[in-house]
Amino acid sequence: MENPLRHSKFYIEDVMWIFKVEDVLFRLPKRQFVRYSPQFRAMSGLPLEQNGSFEGQTDEIPIVLQDSAADFSALVKLLYVDIDGRPSSQAEWISILTLGHKYEMDIIVKEATESLTDLGPIPKLKLAYQYNVNNDWIAPALLALAERPHPLSTSEATDIGVARAMGIAYARQMVRDFWLDKFVAASHSGSEVRRQVAIFKSSNKTASFTTEQIMEVVRAFEEGRDPEQNIGPAIRDQFAANVNESGVNVYY
């Protein structure tokens, strides 16, 4: 009887890799790491050590990773869902995004961002800018911060950076000044101004900024440009043109 043939796809010969992350050892099949990461694929041909063992084959000569054990555990949980179930917490998915970006695991990064859609605007901005992922998060998050009733806190401004915080503050001030000027021009009565402000605050109408405009404003501050040179006046002109169709929140 002839020797049976090995199936081209489903005869799996896997090698176990031993990782040391902080002071924790992990022993895992290399298959998923090599599949998703070009960096780990490059590790497949590591040279022999002096004792004749490949790095990552024994507890004494593990592959040392400069990551946190918690982050690595979350990544492993996704790569090998049959071991401990699928990641479920935001903290786990942020860990996965962190290491997915570090090890160039594009598919993993995409899955992580899709699992973090419920994050608030500040965490989304931090992750999007830090890891240069999911630019679709940036403009809506900036717009949400410009439209919300309360301004940025000190810690929030620190989280997203001074230039971006200044851009958001500028956008908020534009809205405030536009409506204040409009009301004062219409009536010098303080009570009338307050009445009009109350109407707009209770109207649940959103700012007239487009996502493109808020991005332009923030980008101007990031690049050290004065938005009053062109962006600001153009946006105020649009506010005036659209005032009868869409109101804006007034922040007092």
Side-chain angles (χ1 to χ4, degrees), residues 18-51:
I18 298 173
F19 298 95
K20 182 176 183 290
V21 188
E22 294 185 313
D23 55 357
V24 181
L25 292 175
F26 296 78
R27 185 173 183 269
L28 299 158
K30 77 172 187 179
R31 179 178 66 254
Q32 295 293 76
F33 293 96
V34 171
R35 175 184 178 186
Y36 290 111
S37 168
Q39 295 184 38
F40 285 112
R41 282 197 293 274
M43 290 184 185
S44 296
L46 290 175
L48 290 171
E49 293 290 326
Q50 289 183 354
N51 63 1

Side-chain angles (χ1 to χ4, degrees), residues 171-192:
R172 294 172 63 84
Q173 191 65 39
M174 283 183 64
V175 175
R176 176 192 176 107
D177 289 349
F178 177 83
W179 287 108
L180 185 60
D181 290 347
K182 177 181 174 59
F183 294 148
V184 170
S187 171
H188 291 288
S189 165
S191 60
E192 175 64 11

Side-chain angles (χ1 to χ4, degrees), residues 29-187:
K30 77 172 187 179
R31 179 178 66 254
Q32 295 293 76
F33 293 96
V34 171
R35 175 184 178 186
Y36 290 111
S37 168
Q39 295 184 38
F40 285 112
R41 282 197 293 274
M43 290 184 185
S44 296
L46 290 175
L48 290 171
E49 293 290 326
Q50 289 183 354
N51 63 1
S53 295
F54 280 107
E55 186 177 0
Q57 286 192 338
T58 67
D59 288 1
E60 292 71 30
I61 311 175
I63 297 170
V64 179
L65 301 179
Q66 301 301 322
D67 303 312
S68 82
D71 286 353
F72 192 70
S73 295
L75 176 63
V76 169
K77 192 172 181 179
L78 178 62
L79 294 179
Y80 301 96
V81 293
D82 55 327
I83 297 177
D84 193 34
R86 185 176 173 80
S88 57
S89 71
Q90 287 186 344
E92 286 178 314
W93 284 112
I94 291 173
S95 293
I96 291 166
L97 176 59
T98 299
L99 294 190
H101 177 265
K102 176 179 178 179
Y103 293 116
E104 303 175 84
M105 296 173 158
D106 295 341
I107 294 175
I108 300 301
V109 167
K110 183 176 184 295
E111 187 165 358
T113 56
E114 290 173 351
S115 300
L116 288 169
T117 54
D118 292 337
L119 283 178
I122 293 293
K124 279 186 175 179
L125 287 176
K126 284 183 64 177
L127 293 172
Y129 284 122
Q130 183 175 358
Y131 299 124
N132 192 29
V133 295
N134 207 341
N135 290 331
D136 293 341
W137 280 355
I138 295 176
L142 292 172
L143 191 58
L145 293 173
E147 290 181 354
R148 75 182 191 182
H150 53 285
L152 293 176
S153 67
T154 302
S155 62
E156 287 176 330
T158 301
D159 283 343
I160 65 173
V162 174
R164 294 174 191 125
M166 290 176 65
I168 292 169
Y170 174 85
R172 294 172 63 84
Q173 191 65 39
M174 283 183 64
V175 175
R176 176 192 176 107
D177 289 349
F178 177 83
W179 287 108
L180 185 60
D181 290 347
K182 177 181 174 59
F183 294 148
V184 170
S187 171

Side-chain angles (χ1 to χ4, degrees), residues 171-236:
R172 294 172 63 84
Q173 191 65 39
M174 283 183 64
V175 175
R176 176 192 176 107
D177 289 349
F178 177 83
W179 287 108
L180 185 60
D181 290 347
K182 177 181 174 59
F183 294 148
V184 170
S187 171
H188 291 288
S189 165
S191 60
E192 175 64 11
V193 172
R194 287 191 292 274
R195 188 180 75 83
Q196 292 288 349
V197 168
I199 291 172
F200 277 99
K201 287 182 72 173
S202 63
S203 68
N204 293 321
K205 295 178 180 179
T206 58
S208 293
F209 282 104
T210 65
T211 53
E212 292 80 8
Q213 287 170 337
I214 193 69
M215 288 291 287
E216 286 183 22
V217 168
V218 172
R219 193 175 297 117
F221 280 89
E222 288 177 329
E223 296 173 356
R225 294 184 283 112
D226 180 3
E228 281 301 308
Q229 293 299 315
N230 47 30
I231 301 171
I235 294 175
R236 277 190 287 272

